[in-house]
Amino acid sequence: MDTFAQLLAGLSIAVSPHNLLFALAGVLLGTAVGVLPGIGPALTVALLLPVTYKLDPAGSLIMFAGIYYGGMYGGSTTAILINTPGESASMATALEGNKMAKAGRGGPALATSAIGSFVAGTIATLGLTFLAPTLVEIAVQFGPEDYFALMCVAFVTVSATFGDSPVRGLTSLFIGLALGLVGIDKLTGQARLGFGMPELLDGVEITTLAVGLFAVGEALYVASRRHHAPEQVEPVRGSLWMSLDDWRRSWKPWLRGTFLGFPIGALPAGGAEIPTFLSYAIERRLSKHPEEFGKGAIEGVAGPEAANNASAAGTLVPLLTLGLPTSATAAMMLAGFQQYGLNPGPLLFADHPQLVWGLIASLYIANVMLLVLNLPLVGVWVRLLAIPQPWLYAGILVFATMGTIAAKPSVMELAMLTVFGLMGYLMRRFDYPIAPVVVGIILGPVAEAQLRRALSISLGDPMVLVESPISATLLGIAALALIAPFVLKGLDRFRAQED
Amino acid sequence: MSRIASRIFSETPVSRRLFTALGLALLAAPAGLSPAAAQMSDLKIMAPAAPGGGWDQTARSMQQAIVAANLARSVQVTNVGGAGGTIGIAQLVNGAKGDGNQLMVMGYVMVGAILTNKAPVTLEQVTPIARLTEETEAIAVPANSPLKTVQELADAIKANPAKVTWAGGSAGGVDHIAAALFAKAAGADPAKINYIPFAGGGEALAAVLGGKVTAGISGYGEFDSQVKAGKLRILAVTAKTRVPGVDAPTLTEAGLPLSITNWRGVVAPPGITAEQRAALTGLVEKMAQSPAWQDILKQKGWDGALMTGPAFDAFLKEENVRTTDILKSVGLVKP
Amino acid sequence: MNPKATKPDTAGIAIAAGLAVIAAVIWWDAGQLAQGSPYGLGPDAAPRVIAVGLAVLALANFAIAWRGRLPHREAGDLGAIVWIIGGLVALIAIIGLGGGFIPATAILFAATARAFGRRALPADLAIGFVIGVGAYLLFAKLLTLSLPMGPLERLI
């Protein structure tokens, strides 16, 4: 119970009125920057880091935590309201969340996302408190072959985003994979599909692609169909608040999302995208209302949002116990530590316990603050949708271009945004699903790099992929998930014949 | 609310901007009220990378130190990200020619990136100003590794370079080059090294800790806390002299005549006059000696390694030649 | 099935052809790469797999288009698209030429509003301008984001 006492001590530091104010200011600032499309929590923290420079360590870290959570929640808000994910991890949220918003259920979507984040944050904080040392031992045992197997599991679940035609879904996925090839090959440093343009060497920015396909593509599509099928947006239909049924349908996805997000986030190369998509796919399979998916199913918001938040807490496991910054945000947190001459790592818990527990506690406080601040604001947010359509979409495009140029100051990036916007329009018009493109560009390069690392270490022997128990298990799960639907379908037919 | 705001922001640099901005918005009047205590006119520092990385931090730290030491009237940091800095250098050479108020942060990584990316603009076209910091590379193995000394690692790599797997940063970066130089010094073919690039130091360190690779090679700072916790063993450092507090020999001591560090510095655009160059060099020298800069070095754990004038010119040339050679032998640059 | 649906679909065939071209470009590009690492898979392995996949999908898309089995859709309003893309191109041009963030934003705002059927270009330009100034003050001045500078932004 020693750790628990330390957490409580940390909490008592964090809830001093002084520090609560820092948390509040952080959440406000973080949300303000985080709503810009293309600017995720990492960049938000990077941009606002100077704000925290002159505070004392505890106050600064707490503000930091607030900025971080604010940035994350800002991304989800725009994903839901204007179909513009602020970062790749809130992509899955946009899929169902925006459909809900358009059907007048933006209130419940924002609420389930905020409460789900809170639930996930609470459980993940407990996980961080009690499991971090054990979890990290397992996490470093993950080799390249195991990551490759994890990617295979993720790939199998992509089909959940395919829509009704496997050919068109796969086409979208392969376009994403092809875009993922662009740029310097991580393992040999050579440019692929660079066509001699230095701007392409860093590859296609995932957020530019997502904002282009989702926001710009949608603006073009809606504008072009104004005369044929004018879009009806009702800001609020029914209750602004979650109904009993919404709660009933949300709580299990929150928990499942948390249990996917936290451990995968704790893996040094796990990330937040994979658990969000896994969560989306699982909720779609398990839902009692599968017909609602693609039209605004609350499970599809609740699960991924919880997974996103839990994975963020998960990345703190390797950061605090090993000093490994495994995500861009964690790297920024590390910078935050270092400005006080602290080096996260195995000795941090021993050398500076009050600071570590203070940080964990302040992350939790920031999470609470976010809930307190945002739930009353849900009503204000959804009223944004009542802005007349010409101005609403004009505003969305202004924000999309502003976020893109602020994240990467280059005209080339805006040109790519335009091209991806046109691509998004054409894909909508000819009925190709959008999400698999983004899934392809996220998973493809990681899967390739890990497979090649594994084979390079094994000197080309493919047996390495099944010799590791972790990867063998994961590949088994992937195979099962691939075959199971067919088997189940066969069983159904069999049963139908029996009847 | 304003009381709360002033309490929160009272000590931050943003507060001034906040209130200036708010004030401006309220008065709706254009500015023109900056104090005119001028040392040097408005200086611009380009960080040829996205916000947050090492070069960006260097640029922003310089900004902080120059302002603190009152060496310039204002300092503006711009980010021109991408492709290991090659986009930034292209912009410096093409867009800022002859501008005596412009600096660009760069470092050893850029030397390699220009070569591997076949960048059209090279470091020969810029005006070198100064080297500012450097960090030694270190070779680390897990605590339970059978390799006890760097000599054993050298023997292993000579016997079979394929069997010795290295984890480090991006392909063609300083870690990769150091590993290749090590193999060469050990008498093995650098083209045969089994180097596994990872994204960022964290992932590479995880691979070393998990025993997935034979050895890790990276900036010493990455390994420091793991070494203190007894999970990693440092076999050698790549600096010319021993590093205080690190119980490991230099490579030269271990009989491998080789030293390499990851350094950062600043350059100016081409076509500036000798006076402009002298002024910029003087400014950077003064900054590097200022207490503010010394504080920053301590805070960030950087080692000051000031080098200016002809010495830096020669150093830059040497690094370029050596890096070209080794990248050719690794096969990353076509001969 | 109605007879109209069995007519080959030109747009679908164009898409299939586009996919085939992309596949060919990727395959060609893979051939330009040096092996790089002597162990395991080279940098060309993944591009080749993806190129083959795209080629197969090009055939599948072609087969479906040839039989005309594509979802029904109406033609879009080209004018609206031209306005929005025009607005984006103007934005890129203004920023690229150093005109700054605020005027670029004003034009994009007005052009998009026009695409959605507004006929008050001067009023929308004014609104866009105000939004641009407000966003610039908030994000660039207050929150220290770097946004493109032009003559107007330097005044602020």
Side-chain angles (χ1 to χ4, degrees), chain B residues 199-224:
Chain B
E203 249 185 86
L205 181 51
V208 185
L209 285 172
K212 303 291 166 193
V213 290
T214 316
I217 185 157
S218 185
Y220 176 73
E222 300 269 353
F223 298 130
D224 185 57

Side-chain angles (χ1 to χ4, degrees), chain A residues 259-468:
Chain A
F259 289 113
L260 282 171
F262 184 65
I264 296 181
L267 293 176
E273 293 88 358
I274 293 159
T276 53
F277 278 109
L278 280 177
S279 165
Y280 178 81
I282 286 176
E283 295 313 329
R284 191 175 183 138
R285 284 245 167 108
L286 294 180
S287 172
K288 291 204 183 73
H289 311 270
E291 74 289 348
E292 278 185 30
F293 270 82
K295 299 191 187 76
I298 195 163
E299 293 93 337
V301 181
E305 274 300 292
N308 185 6
N309 207 306
S311 85
T315 56
L316 289 175
V317 170
L319 179 68
L320 293 179
T321 53
L322 295 178
L324 291 188
T326 56
S327 68
T329 317
M332 292 313 306
M333 294 242 175
L334 191 63
F337 275 108
Q338 281 167 340
Q339 53 173 316
Y340 303 110
L342 300 175
N343 277 316
L347 301 178
L348 186 67
F349 275 89
D351 293 350
H352 303 277
Q354 57 318 2
L355 211 58
V356 178
W357 293 106
L359 171 73
I360 294 175
S362 48
L363 282 170
Y364 190 68
I365 297 289
N367 205 334
V368 177
M369 198 63 91
L370 192 73
L371 196 69
V372 172
L373 194 73
N374 275 295
L375 281 183
L377 282 180
V378 162
V380 182
W381 284 123
V382 294
R383 301 266 176 242
L384 282 181
L385 295 178
I387 295 174
Q389 209 188 29
W391 289 342
L392 179 65
Y393 278 99
I396 291 174
L397 286 191
V398 164
F399 268 74
T401 49
M402 180 161 71
T404 306
I405 192 106
K408 205 171 174 188
S410 146
V411 175
M412 181 72 178
E413 211 59 29
L414 289 176
M416 287 213 252
L417 183 77
T418 308
V419 170
F420 292 139
L422 264 178
M423 190 168 120
Y425 164 71
L426 290 173
M427 291 181 72
R428 275 184 179 78
R429 168 139 188 228
F430 295 105
D431 206 28
Y432 285 82
I434 306 279
V437 182
V438 187
V439 177
I441 198 178
I442 292 171
L443 295 184
V446 185
E448 188 209 352
Q450 299 291 14
L451 176 65
R452 284 169 63 195
R453 279 182 197 131
L455 290 178
S456 186
I457 292 173
S458 76
L459 302 181
D461 177 9
M463 286 309 284
V464 69
L465 298 178
V466 287
E467 275 163 3
S468 143

Side-chain angles (χ1 to χ4, degrees), chain B residues 18-37:
Chain B
L18 183 151
F19 292 118
T20 320
L22 284 181
L24 284 178
L26 288 173
L27 297 171
L33 24 93
S34 50

Side-chain angles (χ1 to χ4, degrees), chain B residues 14-58:
Chain B
V14 159
S15 68
R16 258 162 282 140
R17 301 186 115 186
L18 183 151
F19 292 118
T20 320
L22 284 181
L24 284 178
L26 288 173
L27 297 171
L33 24 93
S34 50
Q39 289 273 341
M40 187 175 185
S41 48
D42 308 304
L43 184 71
K44 287 160 289 181
I45 304 178
M46 184 210 290
W55 288 339
D56 178 61
Q57 285 184 40
T58 308

